[in-house]
Amino acid sequence: MRFACLAGLLLGTLVLACSDSETMIALNVCTLASVDAEEVDSLKVRIEGAATATRELQDVNVLPCGTKPTFFSRIRLAESTKKGTATIEVDALNASGTLLETGMTSVTVRPDEVVAAFVELGTDEMQGSGGTGGSAGAGGDGGQAGDAGGGGASN
């Protein structure tokens, strides 16, 4: 009996040692009022920057923003992924493959960690996510854009 338990433990350890990367993006997608959630049949996801990946997600159930839960999918990234910023663009397609709407966001990925990314379909603005708020680079870029916008508003 002890031998069987020990063998099971050893096998489990070997399987974990050979497992794929644990670097992932937990993608959350919802629609704004301009997109009929019931028309969305599939999502085309493109990830670029510190991580690169393309996924076609079929038979999705995307709900309006503010409705819990939103559509959720974990996307496993390559083992070679380094820390850095990744941009995620999501295209919502209907059953015939026609583009309904696009949304995007940016997140900071780190090796062997899962980061949440939130994409709202139906907005032209890049959405922030919980994973990027502490990023010094992203904060600095945001401050510069805010200063430029403030100068234009004072006219």
Side-chain angles (χ1 to χ4, degrees):
M1 178 72 166
R2 286 186 182 177
F3 178 73
C5 291
L6 183 59
L9 182 60
L10 179 59
L11 179 61
T13 303
L14 291 174
V15 169
L16 287 176
C18 297
S19 67
D20 292 333
S21 169
E22 293 301 318
T23 308
M24 291 186 235
I25 293 177
L27 178 64
N28 297 272
V29 180
C30 65
T31 64
L32 296 174
S34 63
V35 180
D36 182 1
E38 292 184 17
E39 287 187 42
V40 178
D41 184 64
S42 63
L43 299 174
K44 183 176 181 181
V45 180
R46 287 178 305 285
I47 303 170
E48 298 177 346
T52 57
T54 302
R55 298 287 187 280
E56 298 278 341
L57 306 173
Q58 301 295 322
D59 299 320
V60 298
N61 186 18
V62 178
L63 298 173
C65 296
T67 305
K68 298 293 181 192
T70 61
F71 173 77
F72 172 80
S73 179
R74 284 185 182 242
I75 299 174
R76 189 175 305 274
L77 302 174
E79 288 185 39
S80 61
T81 300
K82 305 289 184 205
K83 180 181 175 183
T85 302
T87 300
I88 304 161
E89 186 171 343
V90 178
D91 294 337
L93 308 171
N94 65 14
S96 65
T98 302
L99 177 65
L100 298 172
E101 195 62 65
T102 298
M104 65 176 15
T105 191
S106 180
V107 295
T108 300
V109 293
R110 292 175 187 85
D112 298 319
E113 291 186 12
V114 178
V115 63
F118 299 89
V119 175
E120 294 178 345
L121 299 171
T123 181
D124 292 333
E125 298 177 19
M126 187 178 234
Q127 300 297 309
S129 76
T132 61
S135 173
D141 290 343
Q144 291 171 355
D147 292 340
S154 65
N155 288 335

